[in-house]
Amino acid sequence: MAQRSRILTGDTPTGVLHLGHYVGSIENRLRLQDEYDCYFLLANMHAFTTRADQPDQIRADTIEIVKDWLACGIDPDRSTIVLQTEVPAIAELSWYFAMLLPFNRVMRNPTLKTEIDAKGLGDTYPFGFPMYSVGQCADILAFRPEWVPVGQDQVAHIEMTREVARRFDQIYCGVDSKTEDEDFERAGGVFPIPKAMVGRVGRLVGTDGKQKMSKSLNNAIFLSDPPNVVKKKVGQIYTGRQSMTEAGDIDNALFQWVRAFIRDEERVKELEDRYSRGDNIGDGHVKAEIADAINTLLDPIRTRRARYDTPGGEDVVIDVIRSGTRRANEIAEQTLYMAKSAMGLDFGRRTLSGP
Ligand code: TRP
């Protein structure tokens, strides 16, 4: 059998996952599990960049994310779940990649800048905070994937990853600067130039109707929210519309949600048509339909999640993490060996031993 191309993506354990993660990336992951060799990374090292003083919480959040993944249908028999802090090759590659990126280039990364603003980090963030974006290049390239399924906010990181991969291949593998992105491996490069794959809804607006859905902005619906909480939160979406007969704006937050969650195209068209004409349709009615659609989506996820929210659930999760990470280390170690050999650092191949 021909080797399947690889996919790598991941989440930082900052809490349970929300609907923005689902439509931005999880949907794509589920769809691609059969076609690709998939690696899903728990970026627990990155969680320490803003919460170094909360190790217990980071550990708990890491377990919760795996429960969310399994509940969504990520299947550990087909896909590999990877714990970042148990893959030493990632930490090592981060160092080498840090040499290939000018300091100013890292600090210009728009996703970092947005995060510094949104989280109010001012100029007090640790050195490790901008370093995480270099680390993310290593997360990805350690697996030499073809695709990286992510939400729109991560595209700037993938762009930096592509720059690092090109530079590495050009400096250490003699790849010609005129080589097309698709041809880097064929031209002798260690790293392929990975591509971002943005989901159906790359940026889901939060229940505040303004900002991107995000746990820290308090505008998120979580995959683990029960039905009545979903209803209540959808009810909070603010549009400013006054009556059932006022012509509505179908680009408002409410209708972004209609298109994100109501999967019957005909019904979406009908709602858009009546709303834009102010044809006797209230925001409350639209919200009720959205909440129903979301609850239909989340119901099977809730059922599966309940299996892991049991006393033995955490042990199952830890087993999944350990066996996935063992598989992941095989490929990451192979990549590291290839990279170090290209850099003249081939002083004998090592093996990792562990559980
Ligand atoms: N930075 C990503 C986020 O906060 C998580 C992440 C870490 C990631 N490493 C990655 C995503 C590698 C894709 C690929 O959501």
Side-chain angles (χ1 to χ4, degrees), residues 105-117:
R105 166 64 182 94
V106 174
M107 298 314 290
R108 267 201 320 273
N109 180 321
T111 298
L112 273 190
K113 283 189 168 169
T114 311
E115 247 176 307
I116 289 169
D117 285 348

Side-chain angles (χ1 to χ4, degrees), residues 8-12 41 43 46 132 136 139-140 148 150 154 157:
L8 177 123
T9 188
D11 295 305
T12 307
L41 180 87
H46 292 191
Y132 100 70
Q136 187 155 343
D139 295 340
I140 296 170
V148 188
V150 283
Q154 296 295 307
H157 290 321

Side-chain angles (χ1 to χ4, degrees), residues 11 36 42 59-60 62 74 84 121 134 136 157 161 164 191 203 223 245 282 290 293 333 340 345-346:
D11 295 305
Y36 288 86
L42 297 157
R59 187 186 172 95
T62 305
I74 286 180
Q84 192 179 41
L121 301 178
V134 181
Q136 187 155 343
H157 290 321
T161 305
V164 170
F191 297 109
R203 176 190 182 277
L223 302 183
T245 50
I290 294 172
E333 281 293 304
K340 288 171 81 173
L345 297 171
D346 172 17

Side-chain angles (χ1 to χ4, degrees), residues 75-258:
D75 172 4
D77 291 331
R78 283 182 288 164
S79 299
T80 303
I81 290 179
V82 189
L83 186 68
Q84 192 179 41
T85 48
E86 288 304 322
V87 183
I90 292 177
E92 289 179 58
L93 286 170
S94 301
W95 265 97
Y96 301 124
F97 293 156
M99 314 313 172
L100 301 181
L101 283 164
F103 183 75
N104 290 331
R105 166 64 182 94
V106 174
M107 298 314 290
R108 267 201 320 273
N109 180 321
T111 298
L112 273 190
K113 283 189 168 169
T114 311
E115 247 176 307
I116 289 169
D117 285 348
K119 295 182 179 156
L121 301 178
D123 55 7
T124 64
Y125 52 80
F127 189 82
F129 179 74
M131 183 64 188
Y132 100 70
S133 66
V134 181
Q136 187 155 343
C137 301
D139 295 340
I140 296 170
L141 294 176
F143 295 89
R144 289 173 282 130
E146 180 179 357
W147 290 103
V148 188
V150 283
Q152 189 61 44
D153 63 314
Q154 296 295 307
V155 171
H157 290 321
I158 316 301
E159 195 41 58
M160 206 165 86
T161 305
R162 291 161 57 81
E163 281 176 38
V164 170
R166 287 189 200 102
R167 211 160 291 149
F168 188 101
D169 287 347
Q170 286 165 1
I171 295 174
Y172 298 116
C173 314
V175 173
D176 189 273
S177 64
K178 288 187 215 66
T179 304
E180 300 286 338
D181 283 347
E182 307 77 69
D183 296 331
F184 268 65
E185 269 181 309
R186 230 170 300 153
V190 166
F191 297 109
I193 314 302
K195 294 166 285 200
M197 179 191 287
V198 176
R200 196 165 58 80
V201 184
R203 176 190 182 277
L204 183 69
V205 65
T207 51
D208 57 2
K210 292 193 192 79
Q211 309 218 57
K212 179 188 87 150
M213 183 175 285
S214 152
K215 179 182 184 227
S216 53
L217 297 171
N218 245 330
N219 63 1
I221 293 183
F222 300 104
L223 302 183
S224 48
D225 278 343
N228 58 330
V229 173
V230 168
K231 266 207 185 97
K232 187 166 139 246
K233 288 186 176 174
V234 172
Q236 287 162 355
I237 303 178
Y238 178 73
T239 67
R241 186 163 170 262
Q242 301 291 339
S243 79
M244 311 217 306
T245 50
E246 182 181 324
D249 172 11
I250 60 165
D251 286 325
N252 69 13
L254 196 59
F255 268 77
Q256 293 176 42
W257 281 47
V258 165

Side-chain angles (χ1 to χ4, degrees), residues 19 204 213 221-223 225 230-231 234 237 257 260-262 287-302:
L19 288 173
L204 183 69
M213 183 175 285
I221 293 183
F222 300 104
L223 302 183
D225 278 343
V230 168
K231 266 207 185 97
V234 172
I237 303 178
W257 281 47
F261 299 109
I262 299 180
K287 288 176 182 176
E289 282 197 38
I290 294 172
D292 280 348
I294 293 174
N295 279 326
T296 305
L297 170 74
L298 294 185
D299 265 337
I301 299 178
R302 290 182 185 118

